[in-house]
Amino acid sequence: MGGAVGLGAVLAACGDSDSKDSGSTGSKSADAGPWSFKDDRGQTAEAKSVPKNIVAFTGVAAALHDYGVEVKAVFGPTKAANGKADVQAGDLDISKVEILGNVWGEFNVEKYAALGPDLLVTAMWEKDALWYVPDASKDKILKLVPSVALWAAQTTIPQAIQRHEDLAASLGADVKAKAATDAKARFEKAAARLRAAAKSKPNLKVMIGSASQDLFYVSLAKMSADTLYFQELGVKFVEPKVDAAGFFESLSWENVDKYGADIIMMDNRSSALQPDALTSKPTWTQLPAVKAGQVIPRTTEPIYSYDKCAPILEDLAKAIEDAKKTA
């Protein structure tokens, strides 16, 4: 997986789907030990006691935060250009965490070592490749403390949430707390609503897009946890002719109208151009979905807690309920 993946706001290369093994063990008591957790690489992280000084990829840190587990430092998109929290930071108080790196390829190893971390946690889009842990320094980073990697691809939203919940529980979270169970109930209700919306409009087609200055990327739904799950709930997606990695097709702006779509979901990450930056591209403004005002944000890298994923389902359900056939 190259740096272009992080830069281009497109998706990473795929991996095996052995994430079905959700075996984990861990003490729920923060004072007890020993601690262990089997991650989605099939590797078991171990410590003499429950890790306290946790360093995590921003999105994973945000999910752990929703379960009451706080991290010491983060890496990955955390602070936006305006100084506010990046979309991937969720409800993290970014003034209270050390930021070891904010963009692709950036990770301050010296600062990381000085924190005295107990555990490193990140996502995984490609088997054994740790998201936002730079290839150039990964050996130094990984030899310091145990690491945990959780699938962000080759899985679905419910499976990914379960794995993040497993990890949070092993780190001392009360996953049966009212806030957590209420969020799960809301998520299940939202899933039922999205299924009903998709069933009510079987001819509606959704395109998954991501924009850069020179190219428009159309993603294949089954390759990502969010859109694969939407597909399972009955949402119909444009199926692009993907490249060798299997995630997306790159189109020039002249050919952005290659596929007909009634709704366009646009990558909401800070590394992607947002719809309001595309008004100068005539081929974009002429798309039927754009003219109909049926362009919605896509949370390309969801924060895997029920609290953060329920609104994603609700927003897509509403977009489908309100949408008119345009293509």
Side-chain angles (χ1 to χ4, degrees):
M1 175 166 57
V5 172
L7 276 175
V10 291
L11 293 170
C14 63
D16 306 319
S17 58
D18 55 4
S19 59
K20 306 278 189 291
D21 178 3
S22 62
S24 67
T25 58
S27 167
K28 287 190 169 54
S29 166
D31 300 320
W35 174 88
S36 69
F37 184 87
K38 187 176 180 182
D39 77 356
D40 291 349
R41 296 170 295 181
Q43 295 183 18
T44 300
E46 295 178 300
K48 289 179 180 175
S49 60
V50 176
K52 284 283 199 285
N53 282 357
I54 302 165
V55 175
F57 170 68
T58 304
V60 178
L64 291 174
H65 170 82
D66 286 351
Y67 286 104
V69 177
E70 302 304 338
V71 305
K72 189 94 168 179
V74 295
F75 56 94
T78 306
K79 187 182 283 191
N82 62 6
K84 294 182 179 176
D86 188 274
V87 66
Q88 289 183 247
D91 291 334
L92 283 179
D93 183 344
I94 64 169
S95 70
K96 290 184 177 173
V97 291
E98 191 80 51
I99 301 172
L100 301 177
N102 200 55
V103 296
W104 186 261
E106 188 178 271
F107 191 115
N108 190 319
V109 183
E110 290 72 25
K111 199 181 275 188
Y112 172 62
L115 287 169
D118 301 323
L119 181 67
L120 178 83
V121 190
T122 190
M124 182 169 64
W125 287 85
E126 179 184 21
K127 180 69 171 152
D128 296 332
L130 303 192
W131 197 228
Y132 275 79
V133 175
D135 285 341
S137 52
K138 70 176 181 183
D139 291 343
K140 284 183 189 173
I141 293 165
L142 296 179
K143 77 178 183 185
L144 288 173
V145 295
S147 61
V148 165
L150 299 178
W151 273 120
Q154 306 300 295
T155 186
T156 63
I157 286 179
Q159 290 169 345
I161 292 174
Q162 184 60 57
R163 293 298 285 138
H164 285 71
E165 194 170 272
D166 290 343
L167 177 60
S170 84
L171 294 169
D174 179 5
V175 297
K176 300 298 182 193
K178 187 176 188 302
T181 56
D182 284 354
K184 185 174 184 179
R186 179 183 173 187
F187 176 87
E188 289 169 347
K189 184 178 178 183
R193 178 182 172 187
L194 179 53
R195 189 189 293 277
K199 190 175 181 181
S200 73
K201 300 200 175 166
N203 298 320
L204 216 63
K205 218 151 213 192
V206 180
M207 182 161 67
I208 310 159
S210 185
S212 70
Q213 198 56 51
D214 300 319
L215 294 170
F216 184 80
Y217 306 94
V218 182
S219 291
L220 186 61
K222 70 178 184 179
M223 299 302 286
S224 297
D226 60 331
T227 46
L228 172 59
Y229 183 52
F230 304 155
Q231 206 167 37
E232 289 179 354
L233 292 174
V235 179
K236 304 288 192 308
F237 287 97
V238 165
E239 297 202 2
K241 293 180 171 61
V242 294
D243 62 15
F247 273 82
F248 54 83
E249 178 179 3
S250 306
L251 300 175
S252 66
W253 282 103
E254 288 74 24
N255 296 316
V256 76
D257 60 353
K258 180 176 179 179
Y259 299 105
D262 305 295
I263 295 173
I264 303 175
M265 300 178 71
M266 289 293 288
D267 188 344
N268 75 339
R269 291 177 293 182
S270 52
S271 47
L273 289 182
Q274 298 306 303
D276 59 4
L278 302 178
T279 52
S280 62
K281 297 187 181 294
T283 51
W284 167 258
T285 57
Q286 290 306 304
L287 292 176
V290 176
K291 288 168 106 172
Q294 294 176 180
V295 176
I296 62 171
R298 176 200 175 196
T299 305
T300 306
E301 292 187 53
I303 293 165
Y304 289 116
S305 67
Y306 289 113
D307 183 71
K308 293 298 178 293
C309 288
I312 294 173
L313 302 189
E314 291 165 351
D315 290 348
L316 180 55
K318 185 178 191 313
I320 292 173
E321 289 161 359
D322 295 346
K324 296 176 175 62
K325 184 79 184 153
T326 65

